[in-house]
Amino acid sequence: MLKKIADVIKKAKNVIILPHKSADGDCLGSAFALRLILEQTGKNASVILEEENPKLCGILFGTQPQALNGFDMAIAVDCGDIERLGNRREIFNSCPVTVNIDHHGTNDGFARYNYVDSNSAATGQIIYELMEFLGAVLTLEIANNLYVAISSDTGCFAYSNTTAKTHNIAAKLLETGINHSEINEELFGKNSMAKIMLMRDALNSFETYDDGKIAVVSITREQIKTSGAAEEDTGGLINLPRSLETAMVAICLKESLEDDFVKVGFRSNSVDVSEIAKSLGGGGHVRASGCNIKGSIESVKKAVLKATRKVL
Amino acid sequence: MLKKIADVIKKAKNVIILPHKSADGDCLGSAFALRLILEQTGKNASVILEEENPKLCGILFGTQPQALNGFDMAIAVDCGDIERLGNRREIFNSCPVTVNIDHHGTNDGFARYNYVDSNSAATGQIIYELMEFLGAVLTLEIANNLYVAISSDTGCFAYSNTTAKTHNIAAKLLETGINHSEINEELFGKNSMAKIMLMRDALNSFETYDDGKIAVVSITREQIKTSGAAEEDTGGLINLPRSLETAMVAICLKESLEDDFVKVGFRSNSVDVSEIAKSLGGGGHVRASGCNIKGSIESVKKAVLKATRKVL
């Protein structure tokens, strides 16, 4: 099946590659690796991004712009559905041949040729295998980009999506001499000043209940504004209460900037937190869920603790 | 050479295995994996620890105690020198045959039979190879223990000591069906309440200088006492200033509990911080160094900033 996609791609001459909007490490690493692979096999290839100059481009190769006139193929990379192409949806649809390469199990196959492997930890893992079918040789530059992709989506091989195949591919990538520790430092070791301020504010609000079984942090809209934080800076704060060794349920309360609601996040390694969220009008997964509740942090906290204690 | 060690071990009947004191994931995972390997090949094997019930034993197999009378071989695991055996040094030396398996480049070969491979990211990696020479079969239990060892010492494959071989071995370990994400959660995702309190205190002291090129945190002896922190809880605080994306030099100032000195740590990815530490009477490596200076946090900070600015 992947061989079939490779055969389709082999026929193209000018290819545009489209990673999803709000580009992350997997889609960027995959897209720029694919560009280098296609160029190595004698094609013209260009990556078109939704956002200008994503920060991660600093650790990727092949990111210099290349104007392409008259492309005959568009490849969507790491896009679960066509909406993820954002404003570039028209570019995609106007192409004579469209290809969709992805690892999201929910992918609806929106292109003419689709390859979706939800067993792949990252789309970068699929691009590695595609490279072999295309007859390209793994260079340090391609390996660097694929490592960014795979390490991003596996949390540096920590998450449960990592498989033996992921590690076998990583071994091949390291053999090229890439500086993997520097990549990981960039991917996971860096915080903005805004993020550090929010971590401080969250830790100052840190509370535990029921002998440490419940750990809660909260962030006010004033604190978010003062920090100058972007949405991505507020995302990981729930990892602070989650990291408490006694915590069975971690809760993060975040005042919304748009309305008078509080955004509530739940995490657990042992309790079904989707039940808690559902009982409060929200939803999500067994281990990660959330809901929005109107009110002050104090009143919402009261309601959330009551609902949490019902499942503990 | 490792085959020779395997041949020596094959002749033993009752083996005691000694990981180093202040036991960490690599020495514990390696020691209990080796125990299971030796038992599988028909020997009696026991692990003797310096500290009682290390927390990590909760995620290892084969940790039940086994009394052994009349052992004919002692194997030191992950010990750079014989001092690392602590109070168990006599047990080691009283054995008819002694073996030393380690990956520290500074290992002085203190046993009768020594195998030191400083290219191995972890001693667990050597134990994996030894297993093959001993003719043992990789079980889920052995794989679990070796994964704890290897993931611990490589920071979950992030550090520069990780090689292609490390990933190839990890692939074999995952093939047995171990729950690697749970192991990584235990190894890296957990904080004590004391650690969280110290992180809060450190973030409340967070300061930057020279347009964010220098980032500093400090912790008072009062804060350390109040948190009830153990030495291991105070170690990682320098990662907070180090994570600031603009920081070239990260500094952590920690009041000593024993005297009126301040313990100063330096980290950098771009500047030689051993020079800074040396100029203040300390020492260390290019990327990580430290010194001890008598005085208050404020006076020490002044001296440290002055010395840091000289190398920036």
Side-chain angles (χ1 to χ4, degrees), chain A residues 55 156 158-160 162-164 167-168 170-171 174-175 180-181 184-185 189-192 196 200 203-204 206 242-245 269, chain B residues 55 156 158-160 162 164 167-168 170-171 174-175 180-181 184-185 189-192 196 200 203-204 206 242-245 269:
Chain A
K55 213 190 290 175
C156 197
Y159 301 159
S160 58
T162 308
T163 63
H167 277 295
N168 281 325
L174 260 60
E175 276 168 8
H180 65 276
S181 61
N184 290 319
E185 185 68 28
K190 297 292 178 199
N191 287 316
S192 65
I196 284 173
R200 177 200 63 197
L203 285 175
N204 281 325
F206 201 100
R242 185 166 173 255
S243 77
L244 179 66
E245 55 193 4
N269 289 326
Chain B
K55 214 192 288 179
C156 198
Y159 302 159
S160 59
T162 307
H167 278 295
N168 281 325
L174 261 61
E175 276 169 9
H180 65 278
S181 61
N184 290 318
E185 186 69 28
K190 298 290 178 199
N191 287 316
S192 65
I196 285 174
R200 177 199 64 196
L203 284 175
N204 280 324
F206 201 99
R242 185 165 173 254
S243 76
L244 179 67
E245 54 194 3
N269 289 324

Short mmCIF file of all heavy atoms in Angstrom, two decimals, chain A residues 55 156 158-160 162-164 167-168 170-171 174-175 180-181 184-185 189-192 196 200 203-204 206 242-245 269, chain B residues 55 156 158-160 162 164 167-168 170-171 174-175 180-181 184-185 189-192 196 200 203-204 206 242-245 269:
data_model
loop_
_atom_site.label_atom_id
_atom_site.label_comp_id
_atom_site.label_asym_id
_atom_site.label_seq_id
_atom_site.Cartn_x
_atom_site.Cartn_y
_atom_site.Cartn_z
N LYS A 55 9.06 28.33 14.95
CA LYS A 55 10.32 28.30 15.70
C LYS A 55 11.15 27.05 15.39
O LYS A 55 12.36 27.10 15.27
CB LYS A 55 9.99 28.36 17.19
CG LYS A 55 11.03 29.09 18.02
CD LYS A 55 10.79 28.89 19.50
CE LYS A 55 9.55 29.59 20.02
NZ LYS A 55 9.28 29.28 21.45
N CYS A 156 10.03 11.92 22.98
CA CYS A 156 11.36 11.31 23.05
C CYS A 156 11.28 9.84 23.44
O CYS A 156 11.96 9.39 24.37
CB CYS A 156 12.28 12.08 24.00
SG CYS A 156 14.02 11.71 23.75
N ALA A 158 9.15 8.15 24.97
CA ALA A 158 8.60 7.80 26.29
C ALA A 158 7.17 7.29 26.20
O ALA A 158 6.77 6.44 26.99
CB ALA A 158 8.65 9.03 27.21
N TYR A 159 6.38 7.79 25.25
CA TYR A 159 4.95 7.49 25.23
C TYR A 159 4.67 6.06 24.77
O TYR A 159 5.49 5.43 24.11
CB TYR A 159 4.21 8.45 24.29
CG TYR A 159 4.33 9.91 24.62
CD1 TYR A 159 4.09 10.88 23.65
CD2 TYR A 159 4.69 10.35 25.90
CE1 TYR A 159 4.20 12.24 23.93
CE2 TYR A 159 4.80 11.71 26.18
CZ TYR A 159 4.56 12.65 25.19
OH TYR A 159 4.68 13.98 25.46
N SER A 160 3.44 5.63 25.04
CA SER A 160 3.06 4.26 24.73
C SER A 160 2.97 4.02 23.22
O SER A 160 2.96 2.87 22.77
CB SER A 160 1.73 3.91 25.39
OG SER A 160 0.73 4.80 24.96
N THR A 162 5.25 4.55 21.13
CA THR A 162 6.58 4.09 20.69
C THR A 162 6.60 2.57 20.57
O THR A 162 6.16 1.87 21.48
CB THR A 162 7.65 4.52 21.72
OG1 THR A 162 7.53 5.92 21.96
CG2 THR A 162 9.05 4.19 21.23
N THR A 163 7.09 2.08 19.44
CA THR A 163 7.16 0.62 19.24
C THR A 163 8.61 0.21 18.95
O THR A 163 9.49 1.07 18.80
CB THR A 163 6.29 0.19 18.05
OG1 THR A 163 6.81 0.79 16.86
CG2 THR A 163 4.84 0.60 18.23
N ALA A 164 8.80 -1.10 18.84
CA ALA A 164 10.12 -1.60 18.47
C ALA A 164 10.56 -0.99 17.13
O ALA A 164 11.72 -0.62 16.95
CB ALA A 164 10.08 -3.13 18.39
N HIS A 167 12.08 2.43 17.54
CA HIS A 167 13.47 2.39 18.00
C HIS A 167 14.42 1.92 16.89
O HIS A 167 15.54 2.41 16.78
CB HIS A 167 13.60 1.48 19.22
CG HIS A 167 13.24 2.15 20.51
ND1 HIS A 167 13.94 3.21 21.04
CD2 HIS A 167 12.21 1.93 21.38
CE1 HIS A 167 13.40 3.59 22.19
NE2 HIS A 167 12.33 2.83 22.41
N ASN A 168 13.96 0.96 16.08
CA ASN A 168 14.83 0.50 14.99
C ASN A 168 15.10 1.62 13.99
O ASN A 168 16.21 1.77 13.48
CB ASN A 168 14.20 -0.71 14.28
CG ASN A 168 14.40 -1.99 15.07
OD1 ASN A 168 15.45 -2.17 15.71
ND2 ASN A 168 13.41 -2.87 15.06
N ALA A 170 14.97 4.86 14.75
CA ALA A 170 15.83 5.83 15.46
C ALA A 170 17.29 5.41 15.38
O ALA A 170 18.19 6.25 15.23
CB ALA A 170 15.39 5.96 16.92
N ALA A 171 17.54 4.11 15.48
CA ALA A 171 18.92 3.62 15.38
C ALA A 171 19.53 4.01 14.03
O ALA A 171 20.67 4.49 13.96
CB ALA A 171 18.95 2.10 15.56
N LEU A 174 20.32 7.76 14.01
CA LEU A 174 21.52 8.11 14.79
C LEU A 174 22.80 7.72 14.06
O LEU A 174 23.84 8.38 14.22
CB LEU A 174 21.47 7.47 16.18
CG LEU A 174 21.01 8.41 17.31
CD1 LEU A 174 19.61 8.92 17.04
CD2 LEU A 174 21.11 7.74 18.66
N GLU A 175 22.74 6.65 13.28
CA GLU A 175 23.94 6.20 12.55
C GLU A 175 24.45 7.25 11.57
O GLU A 175 25.62 7.22 11.19
CB GLU A 175 23.64 4.89 11.79
CG GLU A 175 23.81 3.67 12.67
CD GLU A 175 23.25 2.40 12.03
OE1 GLU A 175 22.86 2.44 10.84
OE2 GLU A 175 23.18 1.38 12.73
N HIS A 180 21.36 14.34 18.14
CA HIS A 180 20.02 14.10 18.70
C HIS A 180 19.82 14.77 20.05
O HIS A 180 18.72 15.18 20.38
CB HIS A 180 19.76 12.60 18.80
CG HIS A 180 20.67 11.91 19.76
ND1 HIS A 180 21.92 11.49 19.42
CD2 HIS A 180 20.52 11.60 21.06
CE1 HIS A 180 22.50 10.94 20.49
NE2 HIS A 180 21.66 11.00 21.49
N SER A 181 20.90 14.89 20.84
CA SER A 181 20.71 15.50 22.17
C SER A 181 20.38 16.99 22.04
O SER A 181 19.57 17.51 22.80
CB SER A 181 21.94 15.29 23.06
OG SER A 181 23.08 15.88 22.51
N ASN A 184 16.69 17.20 21.07
CA ASN A 184 15.80 16.98 22.21
C ASN A 184 15.79 18.16 23.17
O ASN A 184 14.76 18.49 23.75
CB ASN A 184 16.20 15.70 22.94
CG ASN A 184 15.87 14.47 22.11
OD1 ASN A 184 14.81 14.40 21.49
ND2 ASN A 184 16.77 13.50 22.08
N GLU A 185 16.97 18.78 23.31
CA GLU A 185 17.07 19.98 24.15
C GLU A 185 16.14 21.06 23.59
O GLU A 185 15.40 21.70 24.34
CB GLU A 185 18.53 20.45 24.14
CG GLU A 185 18.85 21.60 25.05
CD GLU A 185 18.77 21.27 26.53
OE1 GLU A 185 18.99 20.10 26.90
OE2 GLU A 185 18.45 22.19 27.29
N GLY A 189 13.47 20.96 26.22
CA GLY A 189 14.18 21.61 27.32
C GLY A 189 13.99 23.11 27.40
O GLY A 189 14.60 23.76 28.24
N LYS A 190 13.15 23.69 26.52
CA LYS A 190 13.09 25.15 26.44
C LYS A 190 11.71 25.69 26.85
O LYS A 190 10.69 25.18 26.44
CB LYS A 190 13.37 25.60 25.00
CG LYS A 190 14.76 25.25 24.49
CD LYS A 190 15.83 26.05 25.21
CE LYS A 190 17.21 25.65 24.71
NZ LYS A 190 18.27 26.06 25.66
N ASN A 191 11.73 26.76 27.64
CA ASN A 191 10.50 27.46 28.02
C ASN A 191 10.62 28.95 27.68
O ASN A 191 11.69 29.52 27.78
CB ASN A 191 10.27 27.34 29.53
CG ASN A 191 9.83 25.96 29.94
OD1 ASN A 191 8.98 25.34 29.30
ND2 ASN A 191 10.41 25.46 31.02
N SER A 192 9.49 29.55 27.31
CA SER A 192 9.47 31.00 27.17
C SER A 192 9.37 31.63 28.56
O SER A 192 9.02 30.96 29.53
CB SER A 192 8.25 31.42 26.35
OG SER A 192 7.07 31.09 27.06
N ILE A 196 7.41 30.28 32.04
CA ILE A 196 8.02 30.20 33.38
C ILE A 196 7.19 31.00 34.39
O ILE A 196 6.97 30.55 35.52
CB ILE A 196 9.49 30.67 33.31
CG1 ILE A 196 10.32 29.55 32.67
CG2 ILE A 196 10.03 31.02 34.70
CD1 ILE A 196 11.76 29.90 32.39
N ARG A 200 5.27 29.44 37.65
CA ARG A 200 5.40 30.03 39.00
C ARG A 200 4.01 30.29 39.59
O ARG A 200 3.71 29.90 40.73
CB ARG A 200 6.18 31.35 38.89
CG ARG A 200 6.33 32.10 40.20
CD ARG A 200 6.66 33.56 39.94
NE ARG A 200 5.55 34.21 39.20
CZ ARG A 200 5.64 35.36 38.55
NH1 ARG A 200 6.80 36.00 38.51
NH2 ARG A 200 4.60 35.89 37.93
N LEU A 203 2.31 27.05 40.50
CA LEU A 203 2.87 26.43 41.71
C LEU A 203 2.48 27.20 42.96
O LEU A 203 2.29 26.61 44.04
CB LEU A 203 4.39 26.30 41.60
CG LEU A 203 4.87 25.20 40.66
CD1 LEU A 203 6.38 25.22 40.51
CD2 LEU A 203 4.43 23.82 41.16
N ASN A 204 2.33 28.52 42.85
CA ASN A 204 1.88 29.30 44.02
C ASN A 204 0.44 28.97 44.41
O ASN A 204 0.03 29.20 45.53
CB ASN A 204 2.04 30.80 43.75
CG ASN A 204 3.48 31.25 43.93
OD1 ASN A 204 4.20 30.75 44.80
ND2 ASN A 204 3.92 32.19 43.10
N PHE A 206 -0.72 25.86 44.09
CA PHE A 206 -0.73 24.40 44.27
C PHE A 206 -1.42 23.99 45.57
O PHE A 206 -1.07 24.45 46.65
CB PHE A 206 0.71 23.88 44.28
CG PHE A 206 0.85 22.42 43.96
CD1 PHE A 206 1.22 22.01 42.70
CD2 PHE A 206 0.62 21.45 44.93
CE1 PHE A 206 1.38 20.66 42.40
CE2 PHE A 206 0.77 20.11 44.64
CZ PHE A 206 1.14 19.71 43.37
N ARG A 242 0.01 16.83 38.11
CA ARG A 242 0.09 15.43 37.68
C ARG A 242 1.36 14.76 38.18
O ARG A 242 1.40 13.56 38.41
CB ARG A 242 0.03 15.40 36.15
CG ARG A 242 -0.03 14.03 35.55
CD ARG A 242 -0.42 14.09 34.10
NE ARG A 242 -0.31 12.80 33.49
CZ ARG A 242 0.67 12.45 32.67
NH1 ARG A 242 1.58 13.32 32.30
NH2 ARG A 242 0.72 11.24 32.18
N SER A 243 2.44 15.55 38.32
CA SER A 243 3.73 14.97 38.70
C SER A 243 3.81 14.62 40.18
O SER A 243 4.73 13.91 40.59
CB SER A 243 4.87 15.94 38.35
OG SER A 243 4.94 16.99 39.29
N LEU A 244 2.89 15.11 40.99
CA LEU A 244 2.95 14.80 42.43
C LEU A 244 2.80 13.30 42.63
O LEU A 244 1.82 12.70 42.17
CB LEU A 244 1.85 15.55 43.20
CG LEU A 244 1.83 15.28 44.71
CD1 LEU A 244 3.09 15.82 45.39
CD2 LEU A 244 0.58 15.87 45.35
N GLU A 245 3.74 12.70 43.34
CA GLU A 245 3.80 11.23 43.38
C GLU A 245 2.56 10.60 44.02
O GLU A 245 2.22 9.46 43.69
CB GLU A 245 5.08 10.76 44.08
CG GLU A 245 5.29 11.33 45.46
CD GLU A 245 6.70 11.11 45.99
OE1 GLU A 245 7.54 10.56 45.27
OE2 GLU A 245 6.96 11.49 47.14
N ASN A 269 -3.63 8.63 36.08
CA ASN A 269 -3.09 7.37 35.59
C ASN A 269 -3.87 6.18 36.13
O ASN A 269 -3.59 5.05 35.78
CB ASN A 269 -1.61 7.24 36.00
CG ASN A 269 -0.73 8.19 35.23
OD1 ASN A 269 -0.99 8.48 34.06
ND2 ASN A 269 0.29 8.70 35.89
N LYS B 55 13.02 3.18 46.21
CA LYS B 55 11.69 3.39 45.62
C LYS B 55 11.55 2.68 44.27
O LYS B 55 10.51 2.13 43.94
CB LYS B 55 11.48 4.90 45.44
CG LYS B 55 10.05 5.36 45.63
CD LYS B 55 9.87 6.80 45.15
CE LYS B 55 10.52 7.80 46.08
NZ LYS B 55 10.37 9.20 45.60
N CYS B 156 15.83 8.78 29.02
CA CYS B 156 14.87 8.29 28.01
C CYS B 156 15.37 8.57 26.59
O CYS B 156 14.65 9.14 25.78
CB CYS B 156 13.47 8.89 28.23
SG CYS B 156 12.18 7.97 27.39
N ALA B 158 17.39 10.62 25.39
CA ALA B 158 17.58 12.01 24.96
C ALA B 158 19.05 12.43 24.96
O ALA B 158 19.47 13.23 24.14
CB ALA B 158 16.78 12.95 25.87
N TYR B 159 19.83 11.90 25.89
CA TYR B 159 21.20 12.38 26.07
C TYR B 159 22.12 11.94 24.94
O TYR B 159 21.84 10.98 24.23
CB TYR B 159 21.78 11.88 27.41
CG TYR B 159 21.03 12.27 28.64
CD1 TYR B 159 21.18 11.56 29.82
CD2 TYR B 159 20.15 13.36 28.66
CE1 TYR B 159 20.50 11.89 30.98
CE2 TYR B 159 19.47 13.70 29.81
CZ TYR B 159 19.63 12.96 30.97
OH TYR B 159 18.95 13.28 32.11
N SER B 160 23.27 12.62 24.89
CA SER B 160 24.22 12.34 23.81
C SER B 160 24.88 10.97 23.95
O SER B 160 25.44 10.46 22.99
CB SER B 160 25.29 13.43 23.76
OG SER B 160 25.97 13.50 24.99
N THR B 162 23.35 8.24 24.16
CA THR B 162 22.50 7.29 23.42
C THR B 162 23.11 7.05 22.03
O THR B 162 23.46 7.99 21.34
CB THR B 162 21.09 7.88 23.24
OG1 THR B 162 20.60 8.28 24.51
CG2 THR B 162 20.16 6.87 22.61
N ALA B 164 23.12 4.31 18.33
CA ALA B 164 22.27 3.42 17.51
C ALA B 164 22.09 2.08 18.22
O ALA B 164 20.99 1.51 18.23
CB ALA B 164 22.91 3.24 16.14
N HIS B 167 19.36 2.17 20.81
CA HIS B 167 18.01 2.07 20.23
C HIS B 167 17.72 0.65 19.73
O HIS B 167 16.59 0.17 19.86
CB HIS B 167 17.85 3.07 19.08
CG HIS B 167 17.51 4.46 19.53
ND1 HIS B 167 16.33 4.78 20.16
CD2 HIS B 167 18.20 5.62 19.46
CE1 HIS B 167 16.30 6.07 20.45
NE2 HIS B 167 17.43 6.61 20.04
N ASN B 168 18.73 -0.01 19.17
CA ASN B 168 18.50 -1.38 18.70
C ASN B 168 18.16 -2.31 19.86
O ASN B 168 17.29 -3.18 19.74
CB ASN B 168 19.73 -1.90 17.95
CG ASN B 168 19.79 -1.35 16.52
OD1 ASN B 168 18.75 -1.17 15.88
ND2 ASN B 168 20.98 -1.07 16.04
N ALA B 170 16.82 -1.28 22.72
CA ALA B 170 15.48 -0.86 23.19
C ALA B 170 14.39 -1.51 22.35
O ALA B 170 13.34 -1.91 22.88
CB ALA B 170 15.37 0.66 23.14
N ALA B 171 14.62 -1.64 21.05
CA ALA B 171 13.64 -2.30 20.18
C ALA B 171 13.39 -3.74 20.63
O ALA B 171 12.25 -4.19 20.73
CB ALA B 171 14.13 -2.27 18.73
N LEU B 174 11.30 -3.72 23.85
CA LEU B 174 9.88 -3.43 23.63
C LEU B 174 9.15 -4.61 23.00
O LEU B 174 7.95 -4.80 23.25
CB LEU B 174 9.71 -2.18 22.74
CG LEU B 174 9.41 -0.88 23.51
CD1 LEU B 174 10.53 -0.54 24.47
CD2 LEU B 174 9.15 0.28 22.57
N GLU B 175 9.86 -5.39 22.21
CA GLU B 175 9.23 -6.55 21.57
C GLU B 175 8.68 -7.56 22.58
O GLU B 175 7.80 -8.35 22.26
CB GLU B 175 10.22 -7.25 20.62
CG GLU B 175 10.26 -6.61 19.25
CD GLU B 175 11.42 -7.10 18.39
OE1 GLU B 175 12.10 -8.07 18.80
OE2 GLU B 175 11.64 -6.51 17.32
N HIS B 180 6.61 0.28 28.68
CA HIS B 180 7.68 1.27 28.77
C HIS B 180 7.18 2.66 29.16
O HIS B 180 7.87 3.43 29.82
CB HIS B 180 8.45 1.34 27.45
CG HIS B 180 7.62 1.83 26.31
ND1 HIS B 180 6.78 1.01 25.61
CD2 HIS B 180 7.46 3.07 25.79
CE1 HIS B 180 6.15 1.72 24.69
NE2 HIS B 180 6.55 2.97 24.78
N SER B 181 5.94 3.00 28.76
CA SER B 181 5.46 4.36 29.09
C SER B 181 5.23 4.48 30.60
O SER B 181 5.49 5.53 31.18
CB SER B 181 4.18 4.69 28.31
OG SER B 181 3.14 3.80 28.63
N ASN B 184 8.65 4.98 32.18
CA ASN B 184 9.15 6.35 32.02
C ASN B 184 8.40 7.34 32.89
O ASN B 184 8.97 8.30 33.40
CB ASN B 184 9.08 6.76 30.54
CG ASN B 184 10.09 6.01 29.70
OD1 ASN B 184 11.23 5.83 30.12
ND2 ASN B 184 9.67 5.54 28.54
N GLU B 185 7.10 7.10 33.05
CA GLU B 185 6.29 7.93 33.95
C GLU B 185 6.87 7.86 35.37
O GLU B 185 7.03 8.88 36.04
CB GLU B 185 4.85 7.42 33.92
CG GLU B 185 3.85 8.24 34.67
CD GLU B 185 3.59 9.60 34.05
OE1 GLU B 185 3.74 9.74 32.84
OE2 GLU B 185 3.27 10.53 34.83
N GLY B 189 8.39 11.28 35.55
CA GLY B 189 7.19 12.10 35.68
C GLY B 189 6.74 12.37 37.09
O GLY B 189 5.69 12.96 37.30
N LYS B 190 7.51 11.96 38.09
CA LYS B 190 7.05 12.04 39.47
C LYS B 190 7.90 12.98 40.32
O LYS B 190 9.12 12.95 40.25
CB LYS B 190 7.10 10.65 40.12
CG LYS B 190 6.18 9.63 39.46
CD LYS B 190 4.72 9.93 39.70
CE LYS B 190 3.82 8.94 38.99
NZ LYS B 190 2.46 9.44 38.84
N ASN B 191 7.23 13.82 41.12
CA ASN B 191 7.90 14.70 42.06
C ASN B 191 7.34 14.48 43.46
O ASN B 191 6.15 14.23 43.62
CB ASN B 191 7.67 16.17 41.69
CG ASN B 191 8.44 16.59 40.47
OD1 ASN B 191 9.62 16.28 40.32
ND2 ASN B 191 7.78 17.32 39.58
N SER B 192 8.20 14.62 44.46
CA SER B 192 7.72 14.63 45.84
C SER B 192 7.11 16.01 46.13
O SER B 192 7.35 16.97 45.42
CB SER B 192 8.88 14.38 46.80
OG SER B 192 9.80 15.46 46.72
N ILE B 196 8.21 19.83 44.74
CA ILE B 196 7.29 20.82 44.18
C ILE B 196 7.37 22.14 44.96
O ILE B 196 7.37 23.22 44.37
CB ILE B 196 5.86 20.24 44.15
CG1 ILE B 196 5.76 19.22 42.99
CG2 ILE B 196 4.80 21.34 44.00
CD1 ILE B 196 4.48 18.45 42.91
N ARG B 200 8.56 25.74 43.40
CA ARG B 200 7.80 26.98 43.61
C ARG B 200 8.72 28.07 44.17
O ARG B 200 8.75 29.20 43.65
CB ARG B 200 6.66 26.69 44.61
CG ARG B 200 5.83 27.90 44.97
CD ARG B 200 5.06 27.66 46.26
NE ARG B 200 6.01 27.48 47.38
CZ ARG B 200 5.71 26.95 48.56
NH1 ARG B 200 4.49 26.53 48.80
NH2 ARG B 200 6.63 26.81 49.50
N LEU B 203 11.14 29.29 41.54
CA LEU B 203 10.50 30.12 40.51
C LEU B 203 10.13 31.50 41.07
O LEU B 203 10.17 32.49 40.35
CB LEU B 203 9.27 29.42 39.94
CG LEU B 203 9.58 28.28 38.97
CD1 LEU B 203 8.31 27.56 38.55
CD2 LEU B 203 10.32 28.79 37.73
N ASN B 204 9.80 31.56 42.35
CA ASN B 204 9.50 32.87 42.95
C ASN B 204 10.75 33.75 43.02
O ASN B 204 10.66 34.97 43.11
CB ASN B 204 8.88 32.70 44.35
CG ASN B 204 7.40 32.36 44.26
OD1 ASN B 204 6.69 32.85 43.39
ND2 ASN B 204 6.93 31.50 45.15
N PHE B 206 13.06 33.64 40.60
CA PHE B 206 13.57 33.67 39.22
C PHE B 206 13.90 35.09 38.76
O PHE B 206 13.05 35.98 38.82
CB PHE B 206 12.51 33.07 38.28
CG PHE B 206 13.05 32.60 36.96
CD1 PHE B 206 13.32 31.25 36.75
CD2 PHE B 206 13.27 33.47 35.91
CE1 PHE B 206 13.80 30.79 35.53
CE2 PHE B 206 13.75 33.03 34.70
CZ PHE B 206 14.02 31.69 34.51
N ARG B 242 17.79 27.04 33.40
CA ARG B 242 18.40 26.48 32.19
C ARG B 242 17.39 26.38 31.05
O ARG B 242 17.73 26.45 29.87
CB ARG B 242 18.96 25.09 32.52
CG ARG B 242 19.71 24.44 31.42
CD ARG B 242 20.52 23.27 31.92
NE ARG B 242 21.11 22.56 30.81
CZ ARG B 242 20.69 21.39 30.36
NH1 ARG B 242 19.70 20.77 30.97
NH2 ARG B 242 21.25 20.83 29.32
N SER B 243 16.11 26.18 31.40
CA SER B 243 15.09 25.98 30.36
C SER B 243 14.67 27.28 29.67
O SER B 243 14.01 27.24 28.64
CB SER B 243 13.86 25.31 30.96
OG SER B 243 13.09 26.25 31.71
N LEU B 244 15.02 28.43 30.26
CA LEU B 244 14.62 29.69 29.61
C LEU B 244 15.27 29.80 28.24
O LEU B 244 16.48 29.69 28.10
CB LEU B 244 15.04 30.89 30.50
CG LEU B 244 14.68 32.26 29.91
CD1 LEU B 244 13.17 32.46 29.86
CD2 LEU B 244 15.34 33.39 30.71
N GLU B 245 14.44 30.03 27.21
CA GLU B 245 14.95 29.92 25.84
C GLU B 245 16.06 30.92 25.52
O GLU B 245 16.89 30.66 24.66
CB GLU B 245 13.80 30.04 24.84
CG GLU B 245 12.96 31.28 25.00
CD GLU B 245 11.63 31.21 24.22
OE1 GLU B 245 11.36 30.18 23.60
OE2 GLU B 245 10.90 32.21 24.24
N ASN B 269 24.74 25.81 27.47
CA ASN B 269 24.89 25.04 26.24
C ASN B 269 25.84 25.73 25.28
O ASN B 269 26.13 25.20 24.21
CB ASN B 269 23.54 24.84 25.55
CG ASN B 269 22.66 23.89 26.32
OD1 ASN B 269 23.15 22.93 26.91
ND2 ASN B 269 21.36 24.16 26.32
#
